[in-house]
Amino acid sequence: MTMASRSFSNPARRHGQATRRCRLLIAGALMTAAGSLLLTRQSGWTFLGSRRSAVQTTLLPVFTSAVAPVVFPETSRAEELVPPLEKAIDRFANKIQLGMDWLYFELKPALVGKNMEGTKKCLGSAALGAYISPFESEIQFPVSQLVEENPDSDEQGWVVADKQMTTAFANIKERVDSEDWPGALEEWKATTASLGKIMKGVNDLKEKEVFTLPIEGYERRQELFVQARREKLADRNAKANMMGFR
């Protein structure tokens, strides 16, 4: 009997060989199934990843725009000026600035020096030939024009500031009449502060320095004021001479 015939004729050996073949077939099948499952999961994750990227690409701009702060176009304050106010500023700005100069460089020294004659002349005194105070012609009337032409005067506090300025200046006269010089200086401060508020309001609307404000360092304008007064006097004399030749 050959070896091959003996092996096949032995039942136990045949059973063991069959068992080993079965185990090999099962192991191979399991490996094949595992590989297929892994491939399927990888494909699935790739698909889900691509879907997630697509969703993010589609929705991200939508959510970003939804939570982003709304940005409104900036409006220049200069564009908000109504033409009548613009014209009034152009017409009276220089006169008002010289009016503030007058308060600083003529009226204030007279009050500080307790100069009754000089103060009366500034405030307006018929006895001294000053029937109208420069306050009325250089400040009060021009400022009233700005207040009148500004449709937002109430909201911006110009109306109140104008009234306070006029009242404070009238109080200067009363203080001087009673020779209350410290009180007169306090009213002078109130007058310049109220006028300064309107001047600053114009600067804010125009977004530039139309007026030099009455703050520290304002004394540097004194030379400009003196020069302007000289030019005004020269112009007045020239017109008087022309009238005389006629």
Side-chain angles (χ1 to χ4, degrees), residues 96-140:
I96 293 172
Q97 187 73 71
L98 291 176
M100 179 64 81
D101 291 344
W102 172 81
L103 286 171
Y104 257 84
F105 307 125
E106 286 202 15
L107 179 56
K108 182 181 180 181
L111 293 174
V112 172
K114 301 179 181 180
N115 184 340
M116 182 64 74
E117 183 177 342
T119 301
K120 289 284 189 178
K121 188 174 182 180
C122 289
L123 299 178
S125 172
L128 297 174
Y131 296 97
I132 298 177
S133 168
F135 174 81
E136 298 173 8
S137 58
E138 306 298 314
I139 299 175
Q140 189 174 22

Side-chain angles (χ1 to χ4, degrees), residues 28-29 39 86 141 148 190 242:
L39 181 61
E86 187 86 53
F141 174 74
E148 182 178 344
M242 291 179 62

Side-chain angles (χ1 to χ4, degrees), residues 45 64 80 94 137 154 229-230 232 235:
W45 281 114
T64 302
E80 298 175 358
N94 186 61
S137 58
D154 285 323
R229 292 299 298 267
R230 289 173 180 169
K232 184 176 181 180
D235 182 64

Side-chain angles (χ1 to χ4, degrees), residues 62-102:
V62 176
F63 289 118
T64 302
S65 62
V67 300
V70 179
V71 179
F72 294 100
E74 184 177 355
T75 302
S76 172
R77 291 190 177 187
E79 295 176 357
E80 298 175 358
L81 283 175
V82 294
L85 178 57
E86 187 86 53
K87 292 179 180 178
I89 293 172
D90 292 341
R91 180 181 178 186
F92 295 111
N94 186 61
K95 185 179 285 291
I96 293 172
Q97 187 73 71
L98 291 176
M100 179 64 81
D101 291 344
W102 172 81

